[in-house]
Each structure stands twice: as C-alpha cells, then as structure tokens.
Amino acid sequence: MTTEHNTQPVIEAANLDLTFQTNDGPVHALKDVNLTIDKGDFVSFIGPSGCGKTTFLRCIAALETPTGGTLSVNGMTPDEARRKRAYGYVFQAAGLYPWRTIAKNIKLPLEIMGYSKAEQDERVSKVLELVDLAGFGGKFPWQLSGGMQQRASIARALAFDADILLMDEPFGALDEIVRDHLNEQLLHLWDRTNKTIGFVTHSIPEAVYLSTKIVVMSPRPGRITDVIESPLPRERPLDIRDSKEFIEIAHRVRDGLRAGHSYDD
Amino acid sequence: MQDFAQEFMTALSLILSGDSELLNIVFLSLKVSLLAVFFGALVGMPLGAALAVGRFPGRRALIVLVNALMGLPPVVVGLCVYLMLSRSGPLGVLQLLYTPTAMIIAQFVLVTPIIAALTRQTVESLDAEYTEQLRSLGLSRLASVPVLLWDGRIALLTAFLAGFGRAIAEVGAVIIVGGNINHVTRVMTTTIALETSKGNLSLALALGVILIAIAIAVNAAVSLLARGAAPQRGELSHA
Ligand SMILES: Nc1ncnc2c1ncn2[C@@H]1O[C@H](COP(=O)(O)OP(=O)(O)O)[C@@H](O)[C@H]1O
Ligand SMILES: [Mg+2]
C-alpha cells in the first residue's frame, strides 16, 4: 500500500442530512450532501444565505450532529477528530474576549494546549505579523476596528498547528484592499503548511482565487448543486484573476448560483 | 450633643491607641468571617461552577434554591445552627455551642449560597461566550471549567468579597450561636449591640467606625475589580 500524500481523503460526507426541528416545523439545513475533501485541498463554500454553509462547517467540526448519512474526518468521527485537536475554527463573528488583550486572545488555544511561555510569545508575534497586526498585541479588542478584530480571530486559529482550518466568512466585513492582501497571505500560508482549508464566502472572485475546489450550494433544502475542481495552478499571483481560465470558472460558479435560485418561488 | 462629641473623641482615641480589648474583638471578627468565607468558597465555588456547566436532573430547582438561600435571615440561620449544636441536638456531642467554631459554621451557612450563586452567574455567562471556541479546541465540558474559572477569576474574587462583606457585618447568627461571651465569642457586631444597650457608647462607636471602614474597603475593592474584569462593557460586574 502506498500513501499518496495529496489524495488522501480528509473529509468524506455521504448522504449527509441535517434537519433542525423548530417551532415552525422542520428546517432542512442539509439534504443528501456528498463531498470528498482531500488532504491539502482548499475548498470554498458559496451560496445564498441559509443554504447550509455554516451548518456544514459546524458538522465537520462536531459542533452540530447530522441527523442522517455519514461524515468522517481523517477516518474518524468528527468528534474524535475534534478531541484530537484537528481543527482551527474561525467563527462568523470574531468572538474575541473583551477582558483579554489581542495577544492574550491568541494565546488562549496555546495555553490550553500547553505551549511553553516562550513559544506562546513567539507564535503570537508570528501570527500577528501574518495578519498585519504587529504591534497591536497589547490592545483590547474594543480598541480595534471590526476588520482588525476579524484578523485577530484568524490569527488565533492560525497560532496552533491544526491540520484543518475551517473559516466561516472570515473576510466578509473587510474592504477590498485588505481582503486582497489577506487572500494572498492565506494562500501563502496554505502553500507552506499544506493545511486542508474549508472556507465560506459570498464572493465569487474570492472563491475562485483561493480554491482548489469550489462547492456551490443552494437553499431549501440546503444542498450542493455543483462541485468545481479548479484547473488553476497552486501558485497564484493576484493578476491571475484576469486570466481566461479564471473568468471561465467564475462564470460557471455564477451559473450554478443562478440555477440554484430558480428552484425558489 | 456635647456627650456625643465626647464619646466620639474617646472612640477615636481607643482606635488610635490600639486598645487591646478593641483589637482582640476586631481580630476575632476577622478570623471568624474570613474562615467562614474561605470554607464557603471551598464549597460554593465548585457548587456554582457545577450548576453553571453541569446538565443533571434537578439543576433548575437547585439554582432557584441557592438563589433563595442568598436572602436567608441571619437570625433564622443562627436558630437552626443553634438547634443542631445544642446539647440535645444532633451535633450536641461536639460541644461547639458558644465557641468561635459555632460562629464560623453559622456564617458559613450564610455566605455559601451567596458565593455559589455569584459563581454560577459568572461561570454561566462566560460559558455562553466560550463554549464553542473551547469545544473547537478539543476540550470536553469538564476540561473547560478551569479555563472558565481562570478567565472569571476577578469576578470570582468579587463573589468572595461579597460573601466576606455579608459575614463581617452580620449580627443575628453569631449572637445566637456564639452567645457574645466576653473574650471568647465577642465580635464587632455583637459587641456594638451589647455595649450600646449598656450605654458604653465609646467602645461601640469605635467598633462602628472600624466596621464602616472595612465595608468601604471591601466595596471599593469590589468595584475596582469589577472594572478590571471586563473593561468597558461590564458583563461581569455583579457587584
Ligand atoms: N440551530 C438552528 N436551529 C434551527 N435552524 C437552524 C439552526 N442553525 C441553522 N438553522 C437553519 O438552517 C438553515 C441553514 O443555515 P446556515 O447553515 O446558517 O446557512 P448559511 O451559513 O449558508 O447562511 C437556515 O435556514 C437556518 O435558519
Ligand atoms: Mg453562515
């Protein structure tokens, strides 16, 4: 048996369902979702709000329990993977703690995982630099803008060595320039670390620029309508966005989103 | 008026000269209340944390009970502890009645619900903010408790101080189980009650001044800590 490093499935969902029972009746947040994510994939989830992007990410991270089908992570159940600290999760809201400074917020996972003081400091300054927040470690969250808080929360998920990085609309609140810059940084990080990344976004260009695999989703019931394997190379300068291939993929994503919409009404 | 001014001057000189009877009473008060709060925290904090993060049958009822016990009238607590410790009571053989230990027990009963209830509030509100983050970092419910306690440490200290403030100022429970015996079980509050009724106002006033100073110091500490606990927003200021 050979271990092919780049094609080993990290996440496998088969016939996955999640139905929430609410007072207004059942909500089908995910229905018959099938998806394989390989080691080192950068997977974007795109679709209108309510199509189950957050729910799917939460299922992977064992924050939500599916009501049907199977889901495995590194060959384990999501909860086993969670207990083995497989995940760095960037929540949709920054979720920084107001009584901790930025540096202390980033240290929270490191404290929990028992890193030495020196290594904590080293990692904090490294990730602060990565998200362009060098020098802000001593500030409290409320002293930073919303975008800076979001970057700090990304830094927290990057500070420790989780194999799988799950990010729920991390750049949604940021302006274009900052977003471009963080997209580049994220690609570098992904390239260097070979992390597997699950990334929720509303932006078609962002999804195409970042991903090796683009998952287009549609609501009511939440489901996958298209999975696009990107032909773009791993190395991606920002101006790749003007290339013919890039524009073709963007079109296909847009068509997929439109098709999903026509099921409504 | 003349009399009052005179009594007050005598009181001040008692304090400033470090009168030994006065000091003994103050030290006994501090010892009894601090020990009561220490043991109260030992029981109340884990209980509060368990009520905050635990999921077991009867939890809701227990929370209501603990909250209700926060307002226990000290004389009733004194009476109950008296009945337990009196010669014919279930714990009579221990011969604790009219000792400082009996007073510590009574104040322990008074402050434990306060500390438990405040701890529960603190840990519960922290848990709401931390639970998913900690879960995603691989922690179990149980393993997240120390993190919550540590990040809530300042609010927990205010819970401790709130218990201490209640204990040191309380008179009804300690007078019943302690008996207010000179040099044995006489604390600040019970001495004030006794000396005032005897007309010895200067000693009562001196103790009153010290008691107020302690109360102010405790409250100042609580508000300072509460400010440090949650800069700007004040989620944790139960004080
Ligand atoms: N805890 C929950 N209880 C009930 N319904 C939920 C819950 N979480 C999500 N939903 C519903 O599931 C659907 C998918 O939600 P979500 O995954 O948040 O969508 P997205 O992230 O794509 O906007 C929505 O209709 C949402 O209202
Ligand atoms: Mg969402």
Side-chain angles (χ1 to χ4, degrees):
Chain A
M1 201 192 114
T2 54
T3 43
E4 286 172 75
H5 214 67
N6 279 323
T7 55
Q8 196 179 330
V10 171
I11 296 164
E12 275 186 298
N15 310 316
L16 199 70
D17 288 323
L18 201 164
T19 305
F20 291 108
Q21 299 301 337
T22 71
N23 292 333
D24 305 330
V27 174
H28 300 283
L30 294 173
K31 183 140 177 69
D32 199 26
V33 167
N34 293 284
L35 186 69
T36 301
I37 298 177
D38 294 325
K39 170 125 189 70
D41 264 349
F42 195 128
V43 182
S44 284
F45 298 88
I46 190 164
S49 78
C51 68
K53 304 180 296 292
T54 296
T55 304
F56 187 57
L57 233 52
R58 290 173 58 83
C59 285
I60 296 173
L63 296 172
E64 214 77 71
T65 311
T67 48
T70 57
L71 179 59
S72 72
V73 177
N74 290 331
M76 295 172 264
T77 68
D79 199 53
E80 282 162 350
R82 176 185 76 82
R83 289 199 298 262
K84 294 213 154 112
R85 297 178 173 161
Y87 309 110
Y89 201 116
V90 180
F91 290 87
Q92 203 164 345
L96 300 170
Y97 304 114
W99 40 84
R100 282 176 173 255
T101 61
I102 296 301
K104 281 279 188 186
N105 266 285
I106 297 172
K107 276 183 189 173
L108 178 73
L110 305 175
E111 288 166 2
I112 287 170
M113 296 175 186
Y115 286 87
S116 74
K117 261 244 149 296
E119 179 147 23
Q120 289 183 20
D121 290 333
E122 192 191 313
R123 281 176 179 249
V124 166
S125 60
K126 205 180 81 190
V127 291
L128 277 177
E129 198 137 325
L130 203 66
V131 299
D132 263 348
L133 283 178
F136 286 92
K139 295 259 187 281
F140 283 95
W142 45 271
Q143 295 174 298
L144 269 56
S145 71
M148 291 163 99
Q149 291 183 25
Q150 194 61 40
R151 273 139 68 195
S153 124
I154 294 164
R156 178 172 56 191
L158 295 177
F160 55 100
D161 303 311
D163 289 342
I164 302 171
L165 190 55
L166 300 171
M167 309 172 87
D168 197 349
E169 297 191 37
F171 304 147
L174 305 184
D175 62 64
E176 203 83 2
I177 307 282
V178 178
R179 206 168 166 141
D180 278 354
H181 175 69
L182 285 175
N183 280 344
E184 268 188 301
Q185 294 291 330
L186 188 56
L187 275 186
H188 283 154
L189 180 107
W190 167 69
D191 199 35
R192 262 188 328 206
T193 58
N194 206 34
K195 280 181 197 284
T196 307
I197 299 183
F199 186 93
V200 174
T201 179
H202 271 127
S203 154
I204 296 175
E206 187 170 76
V208 180
Y209 177 63
L210 292 173
S211 320
T212 57
K213 199 188 280 255
I214 301 159
V215 177
V216 183
M217 296 178 73
S218 164
R220 273 156 300 180
R223 65 198 184 280
I224 293 176
T225 50
D226 197 6
V227 178
I228 303 165
E229 303 283 346
S230 174
L232 298 179
R234 260 182 100 93
E235 193 71 31
R236 297 176 187 188
L238 271 174
D239 59 17
I240 203 172
R241 295 182 293 186
D242 300 324
S243 71
K244 193 166 142 282
E245 280 130 320
F246 189 98
I247 293 165
E248 273 172 16
I249 307 165
H251 266 294
R252 184 167 158 196
V253 175
R254 182 164 291 116
D255 288 347
L257 289 172
R258 283 223 191 90
H261 261 293
S262 67
Y263 286 87
D264 302 342
D265 313 313
Chain B
M1 211 60 233
Q2 184 67 35
D3 280 356
F4 179 79
Q6 196 118 44
E7 299 282 8
F8 195 75
M9 292 317 290
T10 322
L12 280 185
S13 74
L14 277 177
I15 296 173
L16 295 175
S17 67
D19 177 78
S20 73
E21 187 184 0
L22 182 90
L23 284 182
N24 283 338
I25 292 168
V26 173
F27 282 140
L28 182 65
S29 283
L30 290 174
K31 187 177 115 184
V32 166
S33 295
L34 280 173
L35 281 171
V37 177
F38 174 76
F39 290 114
L42 228 49
V43 174
M45 288 191 177
L47 176 64
L51 288 175
V53 302
R55 294 289 174 268
F56 47 88
R59 171 176 168 267
R60 275 279 129 210
L62 210 53
I63 289 174
V64 171
L65 181 69
V66 168
N67 285 340
L69 291 180
M70 270 176 94
L72 274 180
V75 279
V76 176
V77 172
L79 176 63
C80 294
V81 175
Y82 177 91
L83 292 174
M84 298 295 284
L85 298 182
S86 68
R87 201 160 296 160
S88 52
L91 301 175
V93 284
L94 300 176
Q95 299 199 319
L96 289 176
L97 206 57
Y98 305 133
T99 66
T101 308
M103 299 156 77
I104 292 169
I105 293 171
Q107 290 197 339
F108 165 84
V109 174
L110 271 176
V111 302
T112 302
I114 296 177
I115 295 174
L118 292 179
T119 301
R120 195 212 100 235
Q121 279 178 26
T122 298
V123 175
E124 204 165 85
S125 65
L126 278 175
D127 187 37
E129 304 209 31
Y130 279 65
T131 185
E132 299 225 307
Q133 181 71 51
L134 297 182
R135 202 177 144 74
S136 80
L137 294 173
L139 291 191
S140 66
R141 291 288 293 163
L142 196 61
S144 59
V145 171
V147 180
L148 299 178
L149 292 179
W150 177 248
D151 268 36
R153 63 196 178 279
I154 292 176
L156 294 178
L157 200 55
T158 66
F160 186 90
L161 287 175
F164 177 71
R166 165 113 160 139
I168 196 85
E170 172 282 321
V171 57
V174 280
I175 207 163
I176 293 178
V177 302
N180 209 9
I181 301 165
N182 204 1
H183 301 307
V184 183
T185 58
R186 204 166 273 188
V187 291
M188 287 192 277
T189 52
T190 60
T191 309
I192 292 173
L194 180 72
E195 298 300 329
T196 305
S197 69
K198 287 200 312 199
N200 181 4
L201 291 185
S202 56
L203 181 57
L205 267 172
L207 290 167
V209 168
I210 293 173
L211 207 47
I212 288 171
I214 291 175
I216 291 174
V218 167
N219 273 295
V222 166
S223 75
L224 272 176
L225 287 172
R227 203 151 18 117
Q232 190 208 39
R233 299 198 199 171
E235 279 107 323
L236 291 180
S237 50
H238 302 301

